[in-house]
Amino acid sequence: MAIPRPLRALAIVSAFLLFYLLFQAFRTPPTIHGQGDLEHELPNEPTLQEYGEPPPPLWRADGYAADNPDSPRINATLLALVRNEELDGMLVSMRDLERTWNSKFNYPWTFFNDVPFSEDFKRLTQMETKAKCNYELIPKEHWAVPSWINSDLFDESAKMLEEQEVQYGPMVSYHQMCRWNSGMFYKHPALQDVRYYWRVEPKVHFFCDIDYDIFRWMNDHNKTYGFTINLYDAPQTIPTLWPETEKFMAAHPEYLHENNAREWVVDSKRRPEHNIKAHGYSTCHFWSNFEIADMGFWRSKPYEDYFEHLDRAGGFFYERWGDAPVHSIALGLFEDKSKIHWFRDIGYQHIPYFNCPKSPKCRGCVTGRFTDGERFLFKEDCRPNWFKYVGMD
Ligand code: GDP
Ligand code: MN
């Protein structure tokens, strides 16, 4: 029996509608806690970096040529904490950074590990660079879980972190890594006479030719810290980090710098839920898998006292405080905000985020793209707040 035409049309339209609805339902990523508050801002995000190249002096290579023995050298190193198993990923990162920058300047690499580096690791990493590579073992007392951490309490907390879907929550070594990066790395004897470092992780990418000596630029411009990406953190990893910071600041009001970036640290306007869950901290932080910094800041009394306070409080283990929020809060409170620099010209990726400038010197990334991951990740960008409270430079 022939189905009447209007009915057939209706059936086809209904089928399409059903298909469309199902497609939408499965396409939209699930909302995760506290991340549904910024949808409306999405369309503006990718335009942030359409500012072109930094001013010309940034791009000069004059006087700094690597092959010129008289060219001034800054006391600095490329620095990587890495596991032997991550050799391939480390080679990827080295290849990019050597090609875009270090082959012109030959700053030494310093690799750190809590176990000895394998011969393969040493041989293959050294083959990626003309510069000297140093392989350093972390002293036991820098890596070990501190004596005041209660292992039963750690196990209990790990379970709670797991329930809250905190990545790496139960993995002790991840906590150790965060603590080491927060307050230990710059105390390693191999870095005793070194001032600046550029932190590099395995499996990251660098996209843009950089023709000036970054460390010299830091030095000449009196910068303490350079970043590429600025993110919100998962508040469930740091519920008491801000309350502990407030206790510390109450005891040491003199450590607050008069030209600080506190407004960026405590912002509650842009993602109020984050601020509420972190009890007063915006959770905005410099993404520390990339860091170019002056270790003088970490070695200063305010930071040392702050780290000591946090370390005693236990949150590196009972919660999952990352080195990124710890570094960032300290910089935002104790440092002159004009000494913190956004390296807009360094094209960078650590999965799933990018810093990709608009410049003819960049290849392999999409200008202005912040992430190639799910759509909900766009709202993790906290750079708009940095620009709002501090500026572009
Ligand atoms: P994520 O970026 O937060 O997902 O964490 P990663 O797994 O990338 O770890 C951060 C950095 O610390 C990377 O450079 C790792 O190679 C390094 N790392 C993490 N855990 C360990 C560890 O137990 N031993 C060593 N030697 N390096 C580690
Ligand atoms: Mn990583």
Side-chain angles (χ1 to χ4, degrees):
M1 196 188 82
I3 304 167
R5 253 198 175 178
L7 220 63
R8 225 188 312 166
L10 192 69
I12 290 170
V13 170
S14 310
F16 268 110
L17 196 68
L18 189 70
F19 178 78
Y20 176 77
L21 288 175
L22 279 172
F23 175 77
Q24 284 300 329
F26 285 102
R27 196 192 64 105
T28 313
T31 313
I32 38 180
H33 339 272
Q35 298 188 338
D37 44 13
L38 265 190
E39 284 309 307
H40 59 284
E41 289 189 31
L42 292 185
N44 296 328
E45 305 279 342
T47 62
L48 272 174
Q49 288 181 51
E50 292 179 3
Y51 287 92
E53 290 187 12
L58 257 177
W59 296 98
R60 72 183 175 220
D62 53 303
Y64 302 153
D67 300 331
N68 170 8
D70 298 328
S71 114
R73 270 292 169 281
I74 298 296
N75 189 0
T77 188
L78 299 169
L79 185 157
L81 169 73
V82 56
R83 291 168 282 222
N84 283 312
E85 312 84 85
E86 293 172 301
L87 170 60
D88 289 344
M90 199 66 236
L91 297 179
V92 165
S93 304
M94 287 185 79
R95 217 159 281 160
D96 270 14
L97 191 48
E98 286 289 333
R99 186 189 74 249
T100 54
W101 184 69
N102 198 41
S103 57
K104 297 162 226 171
F105 300 98
N106 294 311
Y107 277 98
W109 286 83
T110 309
F111 297 96
F112 291 96
N113 197 344
D114 55 312
V115 299
F117 281 110
S118 68
E119 288 309 312
D120 266 359
F121 188 99
K122 293 189 208 171
R123 188 171 55 83
L124 292 166
T125 46
Q126 182 63 77
M127 277 172 70
E128 294 294 332
T129 176
K130 297 184 289 233
K132 184 171 192 304
C133 293
N134 307 303
Y135 303 92
E136 305 292 343
L137 188 62
I138 297 171
K140 285 231 165 1
E141 65 275 19
H142 283 185
W143 190 260
V145 178
S147 57
W148 58 88
I149 297 299
N150 176 310
S151 64
D152 294 335
L153 200 51
F154 173 80
D155 292 341
E156 275 306 306
S157 316
K159 265 185 230 149
M160 278 168 60
L161 290 173
E162 216 171 4
E163 277 160 25
Q164 294 176 69
E165 294 173 14
V166 170
Q167 203 188 7
Y168 310 118
M171 194 173 164
V172 189
S173 65
Y174 195 86
H175 296 256
Q176 290 172 291
M177 178 274 286
C178 290
R179 176 177 178 266
W180 187 80
N181 276 320
S182 297
M184 292 295 163
F185 76 93
Y186 53 88
K187 293 171 185 149
H188 195 286
L191 295 178
Q192 209 166 23
D193 299 320
V194 183
R195 179 165 172 197
Y196 295 94
Y197 67 96
W198 180 333
R199 176 168 157 190
V200 185
E201 279 201 6
K203 269 173 76 177
V204 300
H205 286 286
F206 297 94
F207 303 107
C208 311
D209 287 328
I210 303 291
D211 296 323
Y212 62 99
D213 183 336
I214 293 276
F215 291 126
R216 181 158 189 85
W217 186 88
M218 293 284 289
N219 187 78
D220 289 359
H221 292 79
N222 199 15
K223 299 292 180 191
T224 298
Y225 192 85
F227 69 96
T228 47
I229 294 169
N230 195 306
L231 294 177
Y232 285 91
D233 210 349
Q236 61 272 34
T237 64
I238 45 171
T240 68
L241 177 58
W242 186 251
E244 284 302 335
T245 302
E246 284 191 310
K247 271 192 232 165
F248 177 76
M249 291 313 289
H252 290 286
E254 74 280 12
Y255 287 163
L256 187 69
H257 198 284
E258 57 186 20
N259 191 33
N260 61 66
R262 194 173 186 281
E263 284 179 297
W264 167 74
V265 175
V266 301
D267 176 83
S268 61
K269 294 196 184 72
R270 197 155 173 275
R271 286 187 97 174
E273 283 177 53
H274 270 53
N275 184 296
I276 291 165
K277 287 180 189 165
H279 302 110
Y281 169 38
S282 66
T283 79
C284 290
H285 61 281
F286 308 117
W287 211 22
S288 62
N289 47 64
F290 175 106
E291 279 190 328
I292 298 175
D294 178 348
M295 284 183 275
F297 180 75
W298 313 127
R299 289 165 178 156
S300 70
K301 185 149 169 53
Y303 187 77
E304 264 311 309
D305 288 353
Y306 180 55
F307 173 74
E308 178 73 16
H309 177 96
L310 295 182
D311 202 22
R312 290 281 162 184
F316 288 110
F317 294 91
Y318 303 140
E319 297 179 6
R320 209 216 63 199
W321 295 352
D323 50 285
V326 171
H327 282 182
S328 302
I329 290 176
L331 286 158
L333 300 181
F334 315 148
E335 186 51 292
D336 180 340
K337 66 185 178 195
S338 73
K339 294 188 174 186
I340 303 172
H341 176 68
W342 174 44
F343 277 106
R344 75 172 80 167
D345 51 331
I346 302 184
Y348 178 69
Q349 178 197 21
H350 175 298
I351 289 172
Y353 302 114
F354 293 83
N355 181 62
C356 186
K358 184 176 186 174
S359 157
K361 301 207 178 201
C362 307
R363 259 161 298 137
C365 65
V366 179
T367 300
R369 174 188 271 183
F370 173 63
T371 178
D372 56 358
E374 298 278 8
R375 194 168 159 276
F376 69 84
L377 292 177
F378 274 100
K379 60 182 164 307
E380 300 303 319
D381 190 358
C382 187
R383 275 174 302 192
N385 263 10
W386 181 259
F387 300 147
K388 176 178 166 188
Y389 293 119
V390 182
M392 289 278 167
D393 194 10

PDB file of all heavy atoms in Angstrom, residues 81-83 86 112-114 143 167-168 173-174 177 181 199-202 289 350, ligand 1:
ATOM      1  N   LEU A  81      62.772  18.065  34.244  1.00  0.00           N
ATOM      2  CA  LEU A  81      62.572  16.904  35.110  1.00  0.00           C
ATOM      3  C   LEU A  81      61.879  15.868  34.244  1.00  0.00           C
ATOM      4  O   LEU A  81      60.825  16.146  33.672  1.00  0.00           O
ATOM      5  CB  LEU A  81      61.674  17.271  36.290  1.00  0.00           C
ATOM      6  CG  LEU A  81      61.172  16.079  37.126  1.00  0.00           C
ATOM      7  CD1 LEU A  81      62.299  15.499  37.976  1.00  0.00           C
ATOM      8  CD2 LEU A  81      59.992  16.490  38.003  1.00  0.00           C
ATOM      9  N   VAL A  82      62.468  14.703  34.142  1.00  0.00           N
ATOM     10  CA  VAL A  82      61.916  13.741  33.190  1.00  0.00           C
ATOM     11  C   VAL A  82      62.278  12.308  33.583  1.00  0.00           C
ATOM     12  O   VAL A  82      63.269  12.071  34.259  1.00  0.00           O
ATOM     13  CB  VAL A  82      62.420  14.109  31.754  1.00  0.00           C
ATOM     14  CG1 VAL A  82      63.937  14.173  31.695  1.00  0.00           C
ATOM     15  CG2 VAL A  82      61.875  13.187  30.688  1.00  0.00           C
ATOM     16  N   ARG A  83      61.419  11.382  33.172  1.00  0.00           N
ATOM     17  CA  ARG A  83      61.661   9.964  33.452  1.00  0.00           C
ATOM     18  C   ARG A  83      62.341   9.314  32.250  1.00  0.00           C
ATOM     19  O   ARG A  83      62.125   9.741  31.107  1.00  0.00           O
ATOM     20  CB  ARG A  83      60.339   9.247  33.728  1.00  0.00           C
ATOM     21  CG  ARG A  83      59.698   9.662  35.037  1.00  0.00           C
ATOM     22  CD  ARG A  83      58.271   9.157  35.138  1.00  0.00           C
ATOM     23  NE  ARG A  83      57.373   9.983  34.350  1.00  0.00           N
ATOM     24  CZ  ARG A  83      56.154  10.377  34.757  1.00  0.00           C
ATOM     25  NH1 ARG A  83      55.697  10.020  35.922  1.00  0.00           N
ATOM     26  NH2 ARG A  83      55.387  11.115  33.968  1.00  0.00           N
ATOM     27  N   GLU A  86      60.334   8.513  29.307  1.00  0.00           N
ATOM     28  CA  GLU A  86      59.821   9.613  28.488  1.00  0.00           C
ATOM     29  C   GLU A  86      60.862  10.122  27.490  1.00  0.00           C
ATOM     30  O   GLU A  86      60.739  11.227  26.956  1.00  0.00           O
ATOM     31  CB  GLU A  86      59.365  10.761  29.396  1.00  0.00           C
ATOM     32  CG  GLU A  86      58.157  10.385  30.229  1.00  0.00           C
ATOM     33  CD  GLU A  86      57.808  11.439  31.258  1.00  0.00           C
ATOM     34  OE1 GLU A  86      58.676  11.745  32.108  1.00  0.00           O
ATOM     35  OE2 GLU A  86      56.677  11.939  31.236  1.00  0.00           O
ATOM     36  N   PHE A 112      66.908  16.406  35.127  1.00  0.00           N
ATOM     37  CA  PHE A 112      66.799  15.904  36.501  1.00  0.00           C
ATOM     38  C   PHE A 112      65.923  14.665  36.543  1.00  0.00           C
ATOM     39  O   PHE A 112      64.946  14.547  35.797  1.00  0.00           O
ATOM     40  CB  PHE A 112      66.179  16.974  37.410  1.00  0.00           C
ATOM     41  CG  PHE A 112      67.063  18.145  37.633  1.00  0.00           C
ATOM     42  CD1 PHE A 112      66.933  19.290  36.856  1.00  0.00           C
ATOM     43  CD2 PHE A 112      68.051  18.111  38.614  1.00  0.00           C
ATOM     44  CE1 PHE A 112      67.762  20.386  37.052  1.00  0.00           C
ATOM     45  CE2 PHE A 112      68.881  19.203  38.815  1.00  0.00           C
ATOM     46  CZ  PHE A 112      68.741  20.337  38.034  1.00  0.00           C
ATOM     47  N   ASN A 113      66.296  13.768  37.462  1.00  0.00           N
ATOM     48  CA  ASN A 113      65.530  12.535  37.612  1.00  0.00           C
ATOM     49  C   ASN A 113      65.678  12.030  39.046  1.00  0.00           C
ATOM     50  O   ASN A 113      66.695  12.299  39.694  1.00  0.00           O
ATOM     51  CB  ASN A 113      66.091  11.483  36.631  1.00  0.00           C
ATOM     52  CG  ASN A 113      65.140  10.335  36.404  1.00  0.00           C
ATOM     53  OD1 ASN A 113      64.195  10.136  37.165  1.00  0.00           O
ATOM     54  ND2 ASN A 113      65.405   9.562  35.368  1.00  0.00           N
ATOM     55  N   ASP A 114      64.658  11.337  39.534  1.00  0.00           N
ATOM     56  CA  ASP A 114      64.751  10.759  40.885  1.00  0.00           C
ATOM     57  C   ASP A 114      65.461   9.405  40.857  1.00  0.00           C
ATOM     58  O   ASP A 114      65.781   8.849  41.918  1.00  0.00           O
ATOM     59  CB  ASP A 114      63.355  10.630  41.527  1.00  0.00           C
ATOM     60  CG  ASP A 114      62.391   9.844  40.669  1.00  0.00           C
ATOM     61  OD1 ASP A 114      62.290  10.123  39.445  1.00  0.00           O
ATOM     62  OD2 ASP A 114      61.742   8.925  41.193  1.00  0.00           O
ATOM     63  N   TRP A 143      63.373  14.646  47.342  1.00  0.00           N
ATOM     64  CA  TRP A 143      62.269  13.963  46.648  1.00  0.00           C
ATOM     65  C   TRP A 143      61.346  13.231  47.624  1.00  0.00           C
ATOM     66  O   TRP A 143      60.134  13.138  47.409  1.00  0.00           O
ATOM     67  CB  TRP A 143      62.845  12.992  45.616  1.00  0.00           C
ATOM     68  CG  TRP A 143      61.814  12.414  44.683  1.00  0.00           C
ATOM     69  CD1 TRP A 143      61.228  11.176  44.788  1.00  0.00           C
ATOM     70  CD2 TRP A 143      61.239  13.037  43.520  1.00  0.00           C
ATOM     71  NE1 TRP A 143      60.336  10.989  43.756  1.00  0.00           N
ATOM     72  CE2 TRP A 143      60.319  12.112  42.960  1.00  0.00           C
ATOM     73  CE3 TRP A 143      61.404  14.276  42.887  1.00  0.00           C
ATOM     74  CZ2 TRP A 143      59.568  12.398  41.800  1.00  0.00           C
ATOM     75  CZ3 TRP A 143      60.665  14.556  41.737  1.00  0.00           C
ATOM     76  CH2 TRP A 143      59.766  13.622  41.219  1.00  0.00           C
ATOM     77  N   GLN A 167      42.744  14.058  38.602  1.00  0.00           N
ATOM     78  CA  GLN A 167      43.740  13.283  37.873  1.00  0.00           C
ATOM     79  C   GLN A 167      45.007  13.115  38.710  1.00  0.00           C
ATOM     80  O   GLN A 167      45.434  14.078  39.356  1.00  0.00           O
ATOM     81  CB  GLN A 167      44.074  14.028  36.568  1.00  0.00           C
ATOM     82  CG  GLN A 167      44.633  13.122  35.487  1.00  0.00           C
ATOM     83  CD  GLN A 167      45.122  13.918  34.282  1.00  0.00           C
ATOM     84  OE1 GLN A 167      45.166  15.137  34.290  1.00  0.00           O
ATOM     85  NE2 GLN A 167      45.496  13.203  33.230  1.00  0.00           N
ATOM     86  N   TYR A 168      45.581  11.963  38.712  1.00  0.00           N
ATOM     87  CA  TYR A 168      46.823  11.616  39.433  1.00  0.00           C
ATOM     88  C   TYR A 168      46.675  11.660  40.959  1.00  0.00           C
ATOM     89  O   TYR A 168      47.676  11.568  41.666  1.00  0.00           O
ATOM     90  CB  TYR A 168      47.987  12.545  39.076  1.00  0.00           C
ATOM     91  CG  TYR A 168      48.271  12.769  37.611  1.00  0.00           C
ATOM     92  CD1 TYR A 168      48.176  14.047  37.058  1.00  0.00           C
ATOM     93  CD2 TYR A 168      48.687  11.727  36.783  1.00  0.00           C
ATOM     94  CE1 TYR A 168      48.475  14.284  35.717  1.00  0.00           C
ATOM     95  CE2 TYR A 168      48.985  11.966  35.436  1.00  0.00           C
ATOM     96  CZ  TYR A 168      48.870  13.239  34.919  1.00  0.00           C
ATOM     97  OH  TYR A 168      49.171  13.487  33.604  1.00  0.00           O
ATOM     98  N   SER A 173      54.007   9.704  43.362  1.00  0.00           N
ATOM     99  CA  SER A 173      55.099  10.379  42.638  1.00  0.00           C
ATOM    100  C   SER A 173      54.642  11.696  42.022  1.00  0.00           C
ATOM    101  O   SER A 173      55.428  12.636  41.900  1.00  0.00           O
ATOM    102  CB  SER A 173      55.680   9.463  41.558  1.00  0.00           C
ATOM    103  OG  SER A 173      54.715   9.205  40.555  1.00  0.00           O
ATOM    104  N   TYR A 174      53.363  11.777  41.655  1.00  0.00           N
ATOM    105  CA  TYR A 174      52.875  13.043  41.086  1.00  0.00           C
ATOM    106  C   TYR A 174      52.915  14.146  42.156  1.00  0.00           C
ATOM    107  O   TYR A 174      53.316  15.272  41.885  1.00  0.00           O
ATOM    108  CB  TYR A 174      51.465  12.888  40.521  1.00  0.00           C
ATOM    109  CG  TYR A 174      51.086  14.036  39.621  1.00  0.00           C
ATOM    110  CD1 TYR A 174      51.418  14.044  38.273  1.00  0.00           C
ATOM    111  CD2 TYR A 174      50.426  15.158  40.143  1.00  0.00           C
ATOM    112  CE1 TYR A 174      51.093  15.124  37.450  1.00  0.00           C
ATOM    113  CE2 TYR A 174      50.096  16.239  39.331  1.00  0.00           C
ATOM    114  CZ  TYR A 174      50.427  16.207  37.995  1.00  0.00           C
ATOM    115  OH  TYR A 174      50.111  17.286  37.185  1.00  0.00           O
ATOM    116  N   MET A 177      56.446  15.147  42.631  1.00  0.00           N
ATOM    117  CA  MET A 177      56.881  15.987  41.513  1.00  0.00           C
ATOM    118  C   MET A 177      56.417  17.424  41.714  1.00  0.00           C
ATOM    119  O   MET A 177      57.181  18.374  41.548  1.00  0.00           O
ATOM    120  CB  MET A 177      56.322  15.386  40.219  1.00  0.00           C
ATOM    121  CG  MET A 177      56.620  16.143  38.960  1.00  0.00           C
ATOM    122  SD  MET A 177      55.440  17.443  38.614  1.00  0.00           S
ATOM    123  CE  MET A 177      54.016  16.513  38.068  1.00  0.00           C
ATOM    124  N   ASN A 181      58.898  20.624  42.157  1.00  0.00           N
ATOM    125  CA  ASN A 181      58.845  21.773  41.256  1.00  0.00           C
ATOM    126  C   ASN A 181      58.465  23.055  41.987  1.00  0.00           C
ATOM    127  O   ASN A 181      58.771  24.152  41.535  1.00  0.00           O
ATOM    128  CB  ASN A 181      57.835  21.525  40.131  1.00  0.00           C
ATOM    129  CG  ASN A 181      58.447  20.746  38.990  1.00  0.00           C
ATOM    130  OD1 ASN A 181      59.597  20.970  38.611  1.00  0.00           O
ATOM    131  ND2 ASN A 181      57.682  19.822  38.430  1.00  0.00           N
ATOM    132  N   ARG A 199      62.040  26.014  31.669  1.00  0.00           N
ATOM    133  CA  ARG A 199      61.566  24.656  31.957  1.00  0.00           C
ATOM    134  C   ARG A 199      60.912  24.042  30.721  1.00  0.00           C
ATOM    135  O   ARG A 199      60.075  24.656  30.074  1.00  0.00           O
ATOM    136  CB  ARG A 199      60.560  24.708  33.107  1.00  0.00           C
ATOM    137  CG  ARG A 199      59.947  23.357  33.398  1.00  0.00           C
ATOM    138  CD  ARG A 199      59.183  23.366  34.703  1.00  0.00           C
ATOM    139  NE  ARG A 199      58.191  22.307  34.722  1.00  0.00           N
ATOM    140  CZ  ARG A 199      57.247  22.191  35.642  1.00  0.00           C
ATOM    141  NH1 ARG A 199      57.177  23.064  36.627  1.00  0.00           N
ATOM    142  NH2 ARG A 199      56.383  21.200  35.589  1.00  0.00           N
ATOM    143  N   VAL A 200      61.312  22.802  30.455  1.00  0.00           N
ATOM    144  CA  VAL A 200      60.807  22.093  29.281  1.00  0.00           C
ATOM    145  C   VAL A 200      60.329  20.706  29.695  1.00  0.00           C
ATOM    146  O   VAL A 200      61.041  19.989  30.397  1.00  0.00           O
ATOM    147  CB  VAL A 200      61.917  21.934  28.211  1.00  0.00           C
ATOM    148  CG1 VAL A 200      61.358  21.298  26.951  1.00  0.00           C
ATOM    149  CG2 VAL A 200      62.578  23.266  27.894  1.00  0.00           C
ATOM    150  N   GLU A 201      59.141  20.344  29.262  1.00  0.00           N
ATOM    151  CA  GLU A 201      58.622  18.991  29.535  1.00  0.00           C
ATOM    152  C   GLU A 201      58.718  18.124  28.286  1.00  0.00           C
ATOM    153  O   GLU A 201      58.801  18.661  27.176  1.00  0.00           O
ATOM    154  CB  GLU A 201      57.147  19.073  29.966  1.00  0.00           C
ATOM    155  CG  GLU A 201      56.982  19.424  31.414  1.00  0.00           C
ATOM    156  CD  GLU A 201      55.617  19.022  31.966  1.00  0.00           C
ATOM    157  OE1 GLU A 201      54.829  18.366  31.256  1.00  0.00           O
ATOM    158  OE2 GLU A 201      55.355  19.379  33.126  1.00  0.00           O
ATOM    159  N   PRO A 202      58.657  16.821  28.471  1.00  0.00           N
ATOM    160  CA  PRO A 202      58.587  15.963  27.284  1.00  0.00           C
ATOM    161  C   PRO A 202      57.295  16.208  26.509  1.00  0.00           C
ATOM    162  O   PRO A 202      56.288  16.613  27.089  1.00  0.00           O
ATOM    163  CB  PRO A 202      58.621  14.545  27.858  1.00  0.00           C
ATOM    164  CG  PRO A 202      58.441  14.663  29.324  1.00  0.00           C
ATOM    165  CD  PRO A 202      58.708  16.060  29.730  1.00  0.00           C
ATOM    166  N   ASN A 289      54.310  24.055  32.997  1.00  0.00           N
ATOM    167  CA  ASN A 289      55.157  23.156  32.184  1.00  0.00           C
ATOM    168  C   ASN A 289      56.037  23.997  31.257  1.00  0.00           C
ATOM    169  O   ASN A 289      57.034  23.519  30.747  1.00  0.00           O
ATOM    170  CB  ASN A 289      54.315  22.128  31.419  1.00  0.00           C
ATOM    171  CG  ASN A 289      53.142  22.759  30.724  1.00  0.00           C
ATOM    172  OD1 ASN A 289      53.317  23.572  29.828  1.00  0.00           O
ATOM    173  ND2 ASN A 289      51.937  22.397  31.161  1.00  0.00           N
ATOM    174  N   HIS A 350      51.441  22.329  24.933  1.00  0.00           N
ATOM    175  CA  HIS A 350      51.457  21.141  25.787  1.00  0.00           C
ATOM    176  C   HIS A 350      50.017  20.689  25.729  1.00  0.00           C
ATOM    177  O   HIS A 350      49.109  21.499  25.990  1.00  0.00           O
ATOM    178  CB  HIS A 350      51.882  21.519  27.207  1.00  0.00           C
ATOM    179  CG  HIS A 350      51.824  20.374  28.185  1.00  0.00           C
ATOM    180  ND1 HIS A 350      50.658  19.719  28.500  1.00  0.00           N
ATOM    181  CD2 HIS A 350      52.791  19.780  28.922  1.00  0.00           C
ATOM    182  CE1 HIS A 350      50.906  18.769  29.385  1.00  0.00           C
ATOM    183  NE2 HIS A 350      52.202  18.785  29.672  1.00  0.00           N
TER     184      HIS A 350
HETATM  185  P1  GDP B   1      51.118  16.702  33.609  1.00  0.00           P
HETATM  186  O1  GDP B   1      51.770  17.624  32.619  1.00  0.00           O
HETATM  187  O2  GDP B   1      50.537  17.430  34.777  1.00  0.00           O
HETATM  188  O3  GDP B   1      50.156  15.751  32.985  1.00  0.00           O
HETATM  189  O4  GDP B   1      52.259  15.804  34.278  1.00  0.00           O
HETATM  190  P2  GDP B   1      53.490  15.060  33.614  1.00  0.00           P
HETATM  191  O5  GDP B   1      53.295  13.604  33.688  1.00  0.00           O
HETATM  192  O6  GDP B   1      53.825  15.655  32.278  1.00  0.00           O
HETATM  193  O7  GDP B   1      54.634  15.425  34.638  1.00  0.00           O
HETATM  194  C1  GDP B   1      55.180  16.722  34.732  1.00  0.00           C
HETATM  195  C2  GDP B   1      56.690  16.682  34.562  1.00  0.00           C
HETATM  196  O8  GDP B   1      57.292  15.991  35.620  1.00  0.00           O
HETATM  197  C3  GDP B   1      57.145  15.985  33.301  1.00  0.00           C
HETATM  198  O9  GDP B   1      58.311  16.629  32.844  1.00  0.00           O
HETATM  199  C4  GDP B   1      57.469  14.588  33.776  1.00  0.00           C
HETATM  200  O10 GDP B   1      58.467  14.022  32.991  1.00  0.00           O
HETATM  201  C5  GDP B   1      57.973  14.860  35.174  1.00  0.00           C
HETATM  202  N1  GDP B   1      57.699  13.791  36.132  1.00  0.00           N
HETATM  203  C6  GDP B   1      56.489  13.463  36.671  1.00  0.00           C
HETATM  204  N2  GDP B   1      56.605  12.453  37.558  1.00  0.00           N
HETATM  205  C7  GDP B   1      57.915  12.123  37.584  1.00  0.00           C
HETATM  206  C8  GDP B   1      58.678  11.145  38.309  1.00  0.00           C
HETATM  207  O11 GDP B   1      58.165  10.375  39.119  1.00  0.00           O
HETATM  208  N3  GDP B   1      60.015  11.106  38.063  1.00  0.00           N
HETATM  209  C9  GDP B   1      60.633  11.957  37.179  1.00  0.00           C
HETATM  210  N4  GDP B   1      61.936  11.839  36.982  1.00  0.00           N
HETATM  211  N5  GDP B   1      59.938  12.878  36.494  1.00  0.00           N
HETATM  212  C10 GDP B   1      58.608  12.964  36.688  1.00  0.00           C
END
